[in-house]
Amino acid sequence: MIVPITMPRWGLTMTEGTVVEWHVQPGASVGAGQMLLDIETTKITNTLEAAEAGVLRRHVAEVGQTLPCGALIAVMAPPETPDAEIDAYVGSFVITEVADAGGAAEVEPKTAAVGDLTLNYLRAGAGAAVVFIHGFGGDLSGWALVQTPLASAFDTIALDLPGHGKSSKRVPHADVAGLAGELAAFLDAIGVQRAHLVGHSLGGAVALAFALAHPQRAASLSLLAPAGLGREINAGYIRNFIRAERRKDVEANLRQLFCNPDLVNRALAEDVIRYKRLDGVRQSLEALEGAFLSGEQQATVLRERLAEVQAPVLVIWGREDRIVPPAQGQGLPANVQVEWLERSGHMPQVEAADKVVALLKRHFAKAA
Amino acid sequence: MAKKSIRAAVNDALKLEMRRDPTVILIGEDVAGGAGGSGVQDAWGGVLGVTKGLYKEFGPGRVIDTPITESAIIGVAAGAAVSGLRPVAELMFVDFMGVCFDQIFNQAAKFRYMFGGKARTPMVIRSMMGAGFRAAAQHSQSLHALFTHIPGLKVVMPSNAYDAKGLLIQAIRDDDPVIFLEHKAIYDLEDEVPDEAYTIPFGEANILREGDDVTIVAISRMVHVAMDAAKRLAAAGIQATVIDPRTTSPLDEDSILESVEETGHLVVVDEANPRCSFATDVAALVADRAFGALKGPIKLVTAPHSPVPFAPNLEDAYIPNAAKVEAAVRATLAARELATA
């Protein structure tokens, strides 16, 4: 049987990808989960893994080629399948609907008025509500690899925090409790009473603070490389994020986020530079820095209060995290399930998106 | 994010800054159009429609149409700047700057220095530059080198819509006189441009692509010529770094030098005439500060030492194109091959 390998759609806004490097040559056997090739999108370079074991017979896309999502990039087939049959398959292949987010392809970001702020968010899918809260300097697009697959079974909502993405570039309440208050007001504004909360880094601390302040509104809590569980943090990353201006410096700083530093491409660095040039961003980031850091340490530590959270709590941490020390995930109270990811840095939702999706699905099911 | 043309991006920058800061005013010939006559006000919005709509929103007190008096436009702007406004003066074509050189070179550019740092001159002079418009020798020049030569002036030459908006907002907020040159042949080029206000700092180059074989430095419209050449070269296995300094004063010397230290070859593409030009300036910088890194001669691709011709075929031959850039790259690389053969 011939199995097509097609250009994946890794985010709600991804339309095409470029082949950067093949890891497997034609004729080679591959195991499930083996790295097939690197694909560059406008956001990031990522590795496509084999969904099942088999023999890679043909590279259809060459290095440097840019193809739309769903286009054929390679063919897997048993060794006995004749070349002519593969030629015919390649020749007659047509792009069908990219199977992922249940029609979420047409989803456009919306805005909600929260006090005198305008908050931008991307909502896709139907089912129980899942809310994604990004970290310092991030935005909702960072969840793309996780939100897209979850949108087929959940009402997924990723927001841009105040001062970030396409939300207002002001942060009136810059401390963790203040941001949790903005999150509550945002959920009120879009009519979401209760949700599974997924927070990354600073967003993890915000999600935790929200769950403590509004226990009835948190169906479950998932914290990825979260802030708020210890004093220690890579304060240099935050300070450089705000102040680095040259692209080389920005790239060097962003590389600290990943276990595989090659994931930082020029488009990602350029996005960060363009974001930082917007009016109000510098002041917003400095306000967050001022409230979040105390000297070189985190100002807000909620670790002692984790045990109070009534909803199930999942913590996901990359062992190679160079921003928030993974050691802070050890010795957590018994109501917290901790999952460690090998070869993942501070951005497991990017570097280990498939694993994160599987862990989140299991966690949401347990909470339901 | 919306795609906008350079024309729309410039309009956007002016509009946002005029909304944000009531001291920002526009002054120039036909910036509204129809003023002072019996015609429709805001009929034009500048000869190429760049300031269209601003008169309606901000009125005649802030969008000031003038007679054909370049020296008065710049004189008024310089006076307004030292007395607390942030004027954006428009001089239709850079070719007309000659009649107001005293106001620019001897007055505006010198105030901060001669008043011991106590005077600020926050003015922008926008003007169209460049050939390719079949507009003959008096409406087609690239005169950025003249302004780059004068201490006290900043010189900005955007190559795309994203840069045009961010650089113009930066120019309006800058406390020194800024010459802002818009190439008339690329006004319709579109790019992703945020709706919000943002600034791009002066003296920070944009590195459009990175390659190990040669560094190509180009500004304004020539950036696109350099990129076309780089794509042709890449197809032949030659990888070019393309640098757009965005501002010729201040100049991002570090980005140019660092790149040449890696590639060992420099080609500069400049639409201006070749003597005492931006091209010779960058060439001198690299020869002086990175000579040891050079593995072949520096090559300059410029217009000839001639006025811009009116005959279309001659004008096309006058403007640097991708084929000439490609030939220059091959020439400097060939010198290395000869040396190592």
Side-chain angles (χ1 to χ4, degrees):
Chain A
M1 194 187 74
I2 292 178
V3 178
I5 309 289
T6 58
M7 182 62 72
R9 197 152 68 79
W10 277 326
L12 295 171
T13 55
M14 177 176 170
T15 56
E16 60 181 25
T18 303
V19 176
V20 176
E21 188 184 351
W22 280 103
H23 295 302
V24 177
Q25 296 311 312
S29 297
V30 297
Q34 190 175 336
M35 297 192 302
L36 289 177
L37 74 160
D38 288 347
I39 294 169
E40 183 173 5
T41 72
T42 53
K43 286 283 173 207
I44 201 159
T45 304
N46 210 337
T47 304
L48 182 68
E49 295 172 353
E52 50 194 288
V55 177
L56 186 96
R57 292 290 301 274
R58 184 78 56 87
H59 290 171
V60 179
E62 289 164 24
V63 169
Q65 219 174 330
T66 300
L67 292 167
C69 296
L72 190 65
I73 52 180
V75 173
M76 295 200 3
E80 58 272 16
T81 305
D83 277 339
E85 199 176 312
I86 291 176
D87 289 341
Y89 183 86
V90 171
S92 64
F93 183 86
V94 279
I95 299 177
T96 49
E97 194 63 30
V98 186
D100 50 15
E106 300 82 26
V107 170
E108 293 286 333
K110 295 189 198 118
T111 58
V114 178
D116 60 349
L117 298 174
T118 302
L119 297 188
N120 184 59
Y121 67 100
L122 187 66
R123 188 171 190 173
V130 178
V131 176
F132 298 96
I133 307 131
H134 65 76
F136 174 87
D139 62 36
L140 63 83
S141 71
W143 295 107
L145 303 182
V146 173
Q147 187 182 6
T148 309
L150 288 176
S152 56
F154 297 93
D155 173 13
T156 65
I157 300 149
L159 85 154
D160 287 335
L161 289 171
H164 291 81
K166 292 194 170 60
S167 290
S168 300
K169 302 302 182 298
R170 286 180 293 118
V171 189
H173 311 289
D175 60 339
V176 167
L179 291 169
E182 302 283 18
L183 175 61
F186 164 74
L187 293 178
D188 290 343
I190 63 166
V192 172
Q193 176 54 32
R194 185 176 155 88
H196 298 284
L197 299 166
V198 184
H200 171 243
S201 197
L202 172 63
V206 172
L208 175 54
F210 176 91
L212 288 167
H214 309 277
Q216 73 289 357
R217 300 188 72 174
S220 75
L221 197 54
S222 301
L223 309 176
L224 283 66
L229 299 189
R231 289 278 166 210
E232 205 185 322
I233 190 161
N234 181 349
Y237 169 81
I238 293 170
R239 304 209 192 284
N240 286 334
F241 186 92
I242 298 173
R243 287 168 195 95
E245 284 178 359
R246 289 168 61 89
R247 193 159 58 80
K248 279 185 180 170
D249 299 332
V250 171
E251 278 180 6
N253 198 49
L254 290 174
R255 280 191 206 103
Q256 299 184 80
L257 290 174
F258 300 95
C259 172
N260 173 10
D262 294 342
L263 289 176
V264 177
N265 64 15
R266 52 178 299 130
L268 181 70
E270 185 66 22
D271 276 356
V272 169
I273 291 170
R274 289 187 176 208
Y275 159 66
K276 295 204 304 160
R277 285 178 183 147
L278 295 168
D279 272 9
V281 167
R282 173 80 178 230
Q283 293 84 342
S284 296
L285 295 177
E286 284 178 345
L288 289 165
E289 175 194 31
F292 179 68
L293 291 180
S294 169
E296 299 302 297
Q297 296 194 314
Q298 297 188 47
T300 305
V301 178
L302 301 168
R303 187 184 183 91
E304 301 308 320
R305 300 195 57 199
L306 256 184
E308 294 172 33
V309 178
Q310 287 150 26
V313 183
L314 168 69
V315 168
I316 301 174
W317 225 309
R319 290 214 188 262
E320 311 297 327
D321 193 330
R322 287 184 281 164
I323 307 297
V324 187
Q328 292 176 10
Q330 286 159 2
L332 296 175
N335 64 325
V336 179
Q337 178 198 346
V338 182
E339 295 287 343
W340 298 98
L341 298 177
E342 307 296 329
R343 294 181 307 282
S344 180
H346 189 60
M347 305 288 283
Q349 71 277 34
V350 174
E351 270 187 298
D354 293 348
K355 295 193 185 80
V356 169
V357 168
L359 289 169
L360 290 177
K361 279 184 177 165
R362 214 167 65 199
H363 187 59
F364 298 159
K366 199 168 75 180
Chain B
M1 201 183 303
K3 284 217 168 202
K4 290 182 190 135
S5 65
I6 292 182
R7 186 195 320 273
V10 170
N11 186 285
D12 210 19
L14 293 169
K15 187 172 64 193
L16 291 176
E17 284 309 282
M18 290 182 81
R19 283 180 188 163
R20 190 184 73 90
D21 182 350
T23 69
V24 177
I25 60 163
L26 303 191
I27 179 167
E29 295 162 15
D30 271 341
V31 288
S38 56
V40 179
Q41 299 231 312
D42 201 22
W44 281 83
V47 280
L48 292 184
V50 175
T51 50
K52 193 149 189 67
L54 300 178
Y55 180 87
K56 280 196 185 109
E57 180 168 350
F58 301 103
R62 295 181 67 193
V63 180
I64 303 163
D65 248 0
T66 71
I68 303 178
T69 52
E70 282 82 6
S71 53
I73 295 169
I74 303 305
V76 166
V82 288
S83 49
L85 296 179
R86 286 190 181 269
V88 181
E90 179 178 317
L91 228 51
M92 209 175 275
F93 294 97
V94 73
D95 313 70
F96 305 162
M97 290 267 194
V99 293
C100 40
F101 271 4
D102 187 67
Q103 285 83 346
I104 299 171
F105 291 173
N106 264 341
Q107 309 305 328
K110 301 289 191 288
F111 288 154
R112 179 195 281 278
Y113 181 78
M114 294 187 72
F115 291 114
K118 291 176 184 163
R120 299 178 308 138
T121 316
M123 65 186 283
V124 180
I125 305 176
R126 290 181 43 242
S127 195
M128 285 189 279
M129 62 162 288
F133 223 60
R134 311 300 187 224
Q138 296 164 318
H139 301 80
S140 302
Q141 295 171 84
S142 296
L143 298 177
H144 42 280
L146 298 180
F147 308 102
T148 306
H149 188 70
I150 305 294
L153 298 178
K154 293 170 179 169
V155 184
V156 182
M157 303 174 69
S159 65
N160 63 73
Y162 173 82
D163 285 358
K165 179 171 171 178
L167 290 167
L168 183 52
I169 292 176
Q170 176 78 21
I172 294 170
R173 295 180 189 177
D174 196 286
D175 280 341
D176 290 313
V178 177
I179 310 293
F180 193 91
L181 300 175
E182 298 158 22
H183 199 296
K184 59 178 87 72
I186 56 173
Y187 267 131
D188 290 322
L189 282 187
E190 290 190 340
D191 202 1
E192 300 270 332
V193 179
D195 293 328
E196 301 163 87
Y198 58 92
T199 54
I200 300 175
F202 293 163
E204 194 176 284
N206 182 26
I207 299 168
L208 287 94
R209 73 195 300 285
E210 283 169 294
D212 295 335
D213 297 323
V214 62
T215 302
I216 307 178
V217 177
I219 39 167
S220 189
R221 185 192 184 189
M222 291 300 108
V223 172
H224 305 284
V225 171
M227 284 299 284
D228 285 348
K231 278 175 204 144
R232 292 162 66 148
L233 288 160
I238 298 167
Q239 298 300 336
T241 292
V242 176
I243 298 178
D244 172 7
R246 297 196 274 223
T247 58
T248 58
S249 181
L251 179 66
D252 184 352
E253 299 180 348
D254 289 347
S255 287
I256 296 169
L257 292 168
E258 280 168 19
S259 175
V260 173
E261 274 157 13
E262 285 169 13
T263 64
H265 294 274
L266 173 68
V267 171
V268 190
V269 193
D270 184 11
E271 192 185 312
N273 304 117
R275 305 297 309 278
C276 293
S277 66
F278 170 73
T280 56
D281 185 50
V282 173
L285 167 79
V286 168
D288 183 25
R289 304 257 300 275
F291 185 78
L294 287 170
K295 298 169 189 161
I298 297 169
K299 288 290 177 188
L300 309 184
V301 183
T302 70
H305 188 65
S306 147
V308 181
F310 184 46
N313 53 346
L314 292 180
E315 188 182 22
D316 291 344
Y318 173 96
I319 303 168
N321 59 30
K324 289 176 187 170
V325 177
E326 191 182 348
V329 168
R330 289 183 185 280
T332 180
L333 293 178
R336 166 162 56 172
E337 281 150 24
L338 278 179
T340 55

